[in-house]
Amino acid sequence: MYGHITLRPAPADAGIVFRRLDLDHFEIEAQGKNVARVSYATSLMKQGVLLSTTEHLLAAIYSCGIDNIYIDIDAIEVPILDGSAEPFMQMLEQSGVRKLRRKRRYLRVLKPVEVSEGDRRIGIYPADEFRVRCYVDFPHPLVGQQEVEMLVSPETFRHLLARARTFCFERDIQPLRSMGLIRGGSLENAIVLTADGVMNGPLRFPDEFGRHKALDLIGDLALAGLPLLARVEAHKAGHSLHTQLVSRLLADRSAWTVTTEETAARESETGATSLMPAIASD
Ligand SMILES: [Zn+2]
């Protein structure tokens, strides 16, 4: 069973909205209030209607600076495709982006908000542009410690993150399949790690795992509902911590404000201050 998605223009202030075509166009807004916590991917739920694996598509939309869009889908799960965000970037680039007359609204973070679980932690901090730093430390010969630090713009996302694919373990595939969680799952839509290597290489980047985690992070931050003026630091985090951070941020009304002031953000949209990622591995 394959799902189909169609991306359609939406009016100002619509936000990023999924529409389940198979359920009478039921709308699920890509917002923190609709997060249903699931560990292996991020799912949204509204009035009992579920939509899973939103993060790769949302990462592409959010990084491209698209504030208003309808995502029409006829299935419960966003197609995983090759496990990266590249196919979604291609869709967005083929259709193009239209500027609306309305001033762009940003969510400006005013004070730090942090969430931690053991040695895993994530925090969001005030900044004049949207930056992420993502550190992973994963006990596998091909992964180890990896770090990505970058300004998020359409250009940096396309060049540094979009092609990085999701990973899974050979030993985990069968149980997930039997639970019906990876319907289209195969060697074509994830890097499959064995105990000491990869079943379906080569990797697209030596640090593809770290890059993909940064992609996931951006896709989950999209659930803030507006473009961010903030710096986010994730240390061995994952979907659960990402979405907890978004929920905690949105719940603390003293931690952010909505602004149309875009002096700093305009600079970042041109990519003028983009940096190459700092990569550390051992
Ligand atoms: Zn992912």
Side-chain angles (χ1 to χ4, degrees), residues 40 55-56 83 166 212 215-216 239:
Y40 79 101
E55 61 270 19
H56 304 161
T166 193
H212 187 81
L215 186 165
D216 280 342
H239 293 302

Side-chain angles (χ1 to χ4, degrees), residues 177-190:
R177 275 216 181 113
S178 56
M179 288 163 65
L181 289 179
I182 41 174
R183 288 151 197 274
S186 77
L187 294 178
E188 275 74 55
N189 38 46

